[in-house]
Amino acid sequence: MFPKPKPALVPNTYAYESEPMVKATGFREYDARWLFGKEINLMGIQALGMGLGTMIGEMGAKQEIVTAHDFRGYSASIKYALISGLLASGCKVHDIGLAVTPMAYFAQFDLDVPCVAMVTASHNDNGWTGVKMGANRPLTFGPDEMTRLKEIVLNADFKLKPAGGYQFHENFPARYIADLTNRPKLKRKLKVVVACGNGTAGAFAPKVMEAIGCEVVPLDTELDHTFPKYNPNPEDMEMLHAIRDAVLEHKADVGLGFDGDGDRCGVVDNTGEEIFADKVGVMLARDMSAIHKNAEFVVDVKSTGLFVTDPVLQKQGAKTTYWKTGHSYMKRRTNELKALAGFEKSGHFFFNAPVGRGYDDGLVSAIAICEMLDRASGKTMADLKNALPKTWSSPTMSPHCEDEAKYGIVEQVVKHFEDVKAKGGKVAGQPIRDLVTVNGVRVTCEDGSWGLVRASSNKPELVVVVESPVSEQRMRDMFEAMDSVLRTHPEVGEYNQKI
């Protein structure tokens, strides 16, 4: 019998070395994230592997799984603990070694393996670890699967059997890079800053961009799991400003920044100005819907209203659905609707055929951006951005809020705005035009200015985004309106960044 995981254990004790520790809050809506050592130990990771293997069997999927790990000082040891649990539950493990997350998704197709377990904390700070999982390519787990996995692991309800096996696939990255670069080279010579924040993408991104015909200016592409400059997160202004400086210094056509596990791509234009990912999505939607008639797109609730109001998208017959934020939700909805692409403000982009296979890959996004520029007959990235109707948008802002409290607070915030609308009240001085409540609450006023509050799916935080098509002041008014409601809840702490 394998012991039942404990929610907490004291380090440097017999118990910590001989019992599994798994904090329940690490099972998020669509993946798993823990502070390694404080919220989960290696035996806890082993229990996770046993639980995942058990659940794959329960789901009726073939018990074969791709494993890989990102570049952190502890990720390889976590992966091997996970593998030991998977083996004990009877899985055949196909290990591809160090990888970006989309390489693991690609391996499911290339090796014809149904399941995946990618050890990564994505863009979270050092100290965090986690696993992105799926059993039905190209999809990853959603809330139902994560809830069932949590039950199996915390109750030690494992079905163990001796049929497991292990295979390491040597030099697998070469297959992934060949798949990405098997395309006509760009006709236009683009100078591209490739920024990786010393994260995993540094091992692969420069080679890929060179192979499609770009002149690459590498920025922090050396692997260094201490992340000496900043966290590899293309939503953080620190990384975007570093890319800006490199773009201006080298007179580059575009700056591309990849997150810690390579499934997202951030963009800085040739003038050094960052373009938030939702606006990049509108630019790509314009480009793609010009080629593919009546194109359908899915975007998350944090994204700009331009997907609906942009006259070019309207003229080209593009249709857009707003959906829940989160890579698994977006991937699933894009797949269900057979949409051409899904765009998330965080930079997770999901391209279906002919561009991609439905999963999020920062390098596929980077290639799509370069091909858009290639087709843009001499226009710069700034020209394409400036052709969009003007809106004033905030970055994603995240006030601290404990995992145990955040969902309850968001429920109260949703109810507050529903009550305001029902009573004909105003937000930031205007009546509410509509509320979207598929994921937190998105409040849109009569002039099109909107604000969003939702719970972060993978960190102890809330998420706040605001935008106005009218003025910067109206954007700031929306922020004050949303923040003033949050300030009535003492559990909501300081922001990571503010406008």
Side-chain angles (χ1 to χ4, degrees):
M1 287 290 291
F2 195 83
K4 247 190 201 188
K6 303 287 196 302
L9 291 169
V10 177
N12 304 317
T13 61
Y14 175 82
Y16 188 90
E17 295 297 318
S18 308
E19 295 180 60
M21 174 178 71
V22 182
K23 191 179 178 189
T25 53
F27 294 92
R28 311 281 168 160
E29 288 178 46
Y30 45 79
D31 55 26
R33 304 273 172 100
W34 290 274
L35 279 166
F36 180 50
K38 293 180 182 174
E39 298 178 346
I40 196 164
N41 62 3
L42 285 174
M43 276 191 80
I45 296 285
Q46 188 180 9
L48 179 68
M50 290 176 177
L52 177 56
T54 298
M55 193 172 91
I56 289 167
E58 200 176 80
M59 291 169 75
K62 188 178 176 189
Q63 282 185 295
E64 288 199 37
I65 189 163
V66 171
T67 59
H69 67 280
D70 69 4
F71 191 69
R72 292 173 186 256
Y74 42 82
S75 289
S77 61
I78 286 167
K79 182 186 71 177
Y80 290 120
L82 184 77
I83 287 171
S84 72
L86 289 165
L87 293 173
S89 65
C91 286
K92 177 165 185 193
V93 173
H94 296 265
D95 187 11
I96 62 169
L98 179 72
V100 285
T101 294
M103 192 188 299
Y105 298 153
F106 165 72
Q108 290 177 272
F109 289 87
D110 193 57
L111 302 175
D112 193 21
V113 173
C115 307
V116 66
M118 173 71 197
V119 171
T120 179
S122 187
H123 64 277
N124 284 24
D125 298 331
N126 263 325
W128 285 90
T129 190
V131 187
K132 292 181 178 177
M133 296 163 275
N136 179 21
R137 64 189 182 215
L139 307 181
T140 40
F141 287 169
D144 292 346
E145 294 93 341
M146 290 307 298
T147 300
R148 179 60 188 138
L149 180 61
K150 178 179 173 180
E151 285 172 0
I152 293 170
V153 173
L154 297 185
N155 293 313
D157 189 16
F158 308 124
K159 304 285 186 290
L160 305 181
K161 48 191 174 185
Y166 176 86
Q167 182 177 355
F168 184 80
H169 293 269
E170 200 174 356
N171 299 326
F172 190 80
R175 294 161 73 160
Y176 170 67
I177 291 168
D179 181 73
L180 285 172
T181 57
N182 182 22
R183 63 184 66 236
K185 286 207 172 190
L186 300 171
K187 298 180 191 75
R188 182 175 174 183
K189 192 67 179 174
L190 295 174
K191 186 187 278 193
V192 178
V193 171
V194 174
C196 301
N198 304 110
T200 321
F204 315 109
K207 292 177 194 168
V208 169
M209 302 316 292
E210 278 174 1
I212 67 163
C214 294
E215 180 187 343
V216 169
V217 178
L219 180 66
D220 303 321
T221 56
E222 309 79 17
L223 296 183
D224 186 341
H225 53 66
T226 66
F227 303 149
K229 305 284 185 64
Y230 42 74
N231 232 35
N233 179 6
E235 271 193 296
D236 281 358
M237 301 313 288
E238 203 174 353
M239 184 172 189
L240 289 167
H241 289 162
I243 300 171
R244 171 197 66 196
D245 295 345
V247 165
L248 294 175
E249 180 189 345
H250 295 279
K251 297 183 172 56
D253 296 295
V254 68
L256 302 171
F258 300 92
D259 73 333
D261 68 330
D263 54 13
R264 294 190 295 131
C265 177
V267 180
V268 171
D269 73 17
N270 52 295
T271 70
E273 189 171 320
E274 67 271 0
I275 313 176
F276 293 133
D278 54 345
K279 299 282 180 69
V280 176
V282 177
M283 292 156 69
L284 286 166
R286 280 180 160 196
D287 178 57
M288 295 169 78
S289 61
I291 301 165
H292 305 276
K293 296 301 170 204
N294 303 314
E296 189 167 354
F297 301 103
V298 178
V299 301
D300 78 316
V301 291
K302 285 160 54 180
S303 290
T304 177
L306 287 177
F307 282 102
V308 171
T309 60
D310 177 47
V312 174
L313 289 179
Q314 289 176 340
K315 184 183 171 189
Q316 290 174 181
K319 179 188 168 195
T320 299
T321 301
Y322 282 86
W323 196 241
K324 298 176 184 179
T325 292
H327 67 87
S328 279
Y329 293 130
M330 287 289 296
K331 212 169 335 201
R332 196 168 293 256
R333 193 65 174 162
T334 304
N335 183 270
E336 285 168 356
L337 296 179
K338 296 182 170 52
L340 189 58
F343 302 112
E344 193 177 5
K345 186 179 170 73
S346 65
H348 287 278
F349 291 171
F350 314 86
F351 294 99
N352 276 327
V355 180
R357 294 183 179 85
Y359 54 78
D360 36 340
D361 186 335
L363 282 163
V364 171
S365 302
I367 291 166
I369 289 159
C370 290
E371 290 185 338
M372 172 179 70
L373 275 170
D374 205 31
R375 284 190 281 268
S377 49
K379 290 181 179 167
T380 66
M381 197 73 188
D383 292 336
L384 296 179
K385 176 199 70 187
N386 293 334
L388 299 179
K390 176 73 175 165
T391 69
W392 288 261
S393 309
S394 76
T396 300
M397 302 172 286
S398 300
H400 183 82
C401 189
E402 291 298 333
D403 288 320
E404 294 82 354
K406 65 189 182 186
Y407 292 104
I409 286 168
V410 168
E411 274 181 33
Q412 293 174 62
V413 173
V414 172
K415 186 170 188 320
H416 167 84
F417 286 111
E418 285 175 338
D419 290 347
V420 172
K421 188 171 192 288
K423 291 171 183 168
K426 293 182 176 180
V427 172
Q430 289 203 3
I432 296 173
R433 189 180 79 198
D434 59 66
L435 292 178
V436 176
T437 56
V438 294
N439 187 202
V441 61
R442 178 172 167 141
V443 185
T444 305
C445 294
E446 280 196 341
D447 68 356
S449 302
W450 60 268
L452 169 81
V453 174
R454 58 177 287 273
S456 168
S457 303
N458 49 34
K459 288 178 91 172
E461 293 174 344
L462 301 180
V463 173
V464 180
V465 182
V466 291
E467 180 185 58
S468 175
V470 179
S471 67
E472 182 180 344
Q473 186 54 51
R474 284 293 294 146
M475 174 188 76
R476 292 183 180 279
D477 293 346
M478 286 306 298
F479 175 69
E480 290 304 322
M482 308 309 284
D483 187 54
S484 64
V485 176
L486 293 181
R487 290 303 129 204
T488 65
H489 298 277
E491 304 94 331
V492 179
E494 292 301 310
Y495 286 80
N496 65 336
Q497 57 184 358
K498 284 168 86 169
I499 52 173

